[in-house]
């Protein structure tokens, strides 16, 4: 009886102190002696409800190890597949009996669900035991991002009404926005400060000036038509949106969703109507004060012109004063070039019957055929000279003729109508001939001097 009373007196105080009983009962070291809890950015139970962390932000995982046994644990380590290798750091490798230890891992968040089972281990060398504890933890990486591209189509400027002022040109800018994140984006707006477009001023289809919801990986197209003066312009597109996801910071603070932006640019040029080449306008040939015609037929317009591109003659065979160089001789003779005022005009000859002018002489000027003495006298009249250069056939015919007209008259006639290009070519030929003469002089003069000196020495 006294023995049973003694046992009851020893058990009742232990039953009255429940907190003391487990500690006293943990005198062994076995399964369940090591426990581990994990928090992610200050949030517990991350295995069931993983917190959201913005991609690129810092993730802080804290592993709390508790040793409820009476034996020390050596070589304590934590392995977590969701953490980069070597990121978990523990202050020591020994966990004392009835003690606690906290290991920490810090790294950058990546996109998607990152949940895994962490495992903590420790050894009791004297008992040849390895204790382990596991806990499931993780986070969700929120990746929000926009990409914006644009393409410009230019329309040529026109003219308004009958006004000669150049109107502004128009350009159509097509913006393409893409969600390359892993969460839907809301209220996507596009603006362009370079073109003076406020956010939402573009046409995005059914949504008006904004895209209501843009799913991950999807794209939307918005357009804008602008009018600008001719010249070079620069477009600077800006897209903005939000995924409306609240995330957690390293110390457990709540972070609101940021405004996501994307930019693009393009340079385009609006041409002006004045820069386009004007249409060719026909130029009337220069006419003199009169012209010779067929016998008994007066001149219709007072000038005779050779149509542009005509290489043949327009004179009438056998008619005096036919258009061609044969008729020109009469005009020159009328002006006193042949030395006799009122020289008779030349009738059409074999080479001039078709109105073909003779060719050029050796100095680049056309040779005029002589006027026959038997031609009837005609009143002196000036002949209209066409503004177009003489045809090659005319020059070839002139080379076969024997001209007795004075060279001064021929030169005066040709110089009056050779034009700018003819003068330029003639000056080039004269310059080349002058250069040859100078080179010959430079060679012959020293040779003459050397010969004179050699003669003096021999004398």
């Amino acid at each position: 009886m006294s023995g049973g009373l003694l046992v009851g007196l020893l058990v009742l105080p232990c039953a009255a102190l429940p907190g003391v009983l487990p500690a006293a009962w943990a005198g062994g070291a076995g399964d369940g002696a090591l426990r581990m809890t994990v928090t992610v950015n200050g949030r517990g139970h991350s295995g069931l409800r993983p917190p959201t962390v913005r991609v690129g932000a810092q993730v802080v995982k804290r592993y709390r190890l508790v040793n409820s046994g009476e034996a020390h644990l050596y070589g304590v380590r934590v392995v977590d597949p969701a953490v980069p290798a070597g990121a978990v750091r523990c202050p020591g490798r020994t966990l004392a009996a009835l003690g606690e230890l906290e290991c920490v891992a810090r790294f950058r968040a990546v996109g998607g669900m990152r949940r895994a089972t962490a495992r903590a281990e420790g050894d009791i060398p004297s008992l040849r035991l390895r204790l382990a504890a596991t806990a499931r933890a993780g986070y969700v990486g929120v990746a929000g991002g926009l990409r914006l591209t644009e393409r410009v189509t230019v329309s040529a400027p026109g003219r308004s009404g009958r006004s000669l002022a150049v109107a502004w040109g128009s350009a159509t800018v097509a913006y393409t926005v893409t969600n390359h994140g892993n969460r839907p984006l809301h209220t996507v707006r596009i603006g362009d400060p370079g073109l003076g477009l406020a956010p939402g001023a573009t046409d995005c289809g059914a949504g008006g000036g904004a895209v209501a919801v843009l799913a991950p990986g999807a794209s939307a197209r918005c357009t804008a038509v602008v009018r600008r003066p001719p010249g070079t312009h620069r477009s600077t597109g800006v897209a903005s949106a939000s995924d409306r996801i609240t995330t957690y910071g390293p110390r457990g603070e709540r972070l609101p969703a940021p405004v996501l932006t994307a930019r693009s640019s393009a340079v385009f040029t609006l041409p002006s109507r004045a820069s386009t080449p004007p249409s060719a306008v026909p130029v009337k040939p220069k006419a003199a004060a009169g012209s010779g015609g067929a016998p008994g037929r007066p001149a219709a317009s007072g000038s005779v012109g050779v149509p542009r591109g005509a290489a043949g003659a327009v004179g009438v065979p056998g008619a005096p004063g036919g258009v061609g160089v044969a008729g020109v001789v009469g005009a020159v003779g009328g002006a006193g070039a042949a030395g006799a005022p009122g020289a008779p005009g030349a009738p059409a000859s074999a080479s001039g019957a078709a109105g073909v002018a003779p060719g050029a002489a050796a100095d680049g000027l056309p040779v005029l055929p002589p006027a026959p003495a038997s031609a009837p006298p005609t009143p002196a009249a000036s002949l209209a000279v066409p503004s177009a250069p003489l045809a090659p056939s005319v020059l070839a015919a002139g080379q076969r003729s024997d001209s007795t007209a004075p060279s001064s008259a021929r030169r005066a006639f040709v110089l009056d109508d050779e034009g700018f290009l003819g003068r330029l070519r003639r000056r080039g030929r004269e310059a080349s001939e002058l250069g040859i003469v100078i080179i010959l002089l430079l060679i012959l003069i020293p040779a003459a001097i050397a010969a004179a000196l050699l003669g003096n020495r021999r004398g």
Side-chain angles (χ1 to χ4, degrees), residues 114-289:
R114 302 294 170 177
R115 185 165 49 185
T117 300
R119 180 181 178 87
E121 297 178 347
D123 298 329
I124 304 177
S126 59
L127 300 179
R128 297 182 180 179
L129 292 177
R130 173 171 293 179
L131 304 184
T134 58
R136 190 166 178 80
Y139 67 95
V140 178
V142 178
L146 280 175
R147 182 171 62 249
L148 180 65
T149 59
E150 59 180 277
R151 183 177 182 180
V152 183
T153 304
V154 176
S155 300
R159 299 180 186 272
S160 58
R162 297 182 179 179
S163 175
L164 297 179
V166 177
W168 285 15
S170 64
T172 302
V173 188
Y175 305 91
T176 302
V177 60
T178 305
N179 178 9
H180 60 86
N182 57 6
R183 292 299 178 96
L185 299 179
H186 303 270
T187 317
V188 182
R189 289 188 175 91
I190 299 176
D192 197 327
L195 300 179
L197 301 178
T202 56
D203 182 11
C204 298
V211 180
V213 179
L214 189 61
S219 299
R221 187 172 183 266
C222 301
T223 59
V225 179
V226 296
R227 297 184 63 83
R228 291 293 182 275
T232 301
H233 304 274
R234 184 179 183 85
S235 168
T236 56
V238 179
S240 60
S242 175
D243 55 16
R244 301 179 181 177
I245 302 296
T246 301
T247 56
Y248 293 89
R251 294 178 296 275
E253 68 274 17
R254 295 173 62 88
L255 304 176
V259 177
L260 306 176
T261 60
R263 300 180 183 274
S264 64
S265 64
V267 177
F268 61 94
T269 301
L270 291 176
S272 61
R273 177 66 64 88
S275 62
T276 58
S279 58
V281 179
V283 179
K284 294 182 179 180
K286 181 186 293 185

Side-chain angles (χ1 to χ4, degrees), residues 380-396:
S382 60
L383 180 64
V385 181
S387 60
L390 296 177
S393 61
V394 176
L395 299 180

Side-chain angles (χ1 to χ4, degrees), residues 388-438:
L390 296 177
S393 61
V394 176
L395 299 180
Q399 292 178 357
R400 295 190 299 268
S401 64
D402 298 331
S403 174
T404 58
S407 61
S408 60
R410 295 198 308 272
R411 181 177 296 274
F413 167 71
V414 175
L415 291 180
D416 288 341
D417 194 57
E418 65 178 349
F420 175 75
L421 294 178
R423 293 181 182 181
L424 187 61
R425 288 193 293 268
R426 181 169 55 82
R427 296 298 183 186
R429 290 194 298 270
E430 292 176 358
S432 62
E433 295 172 359
L434 182 60
I436 295 174
V437 173
I438 293 175

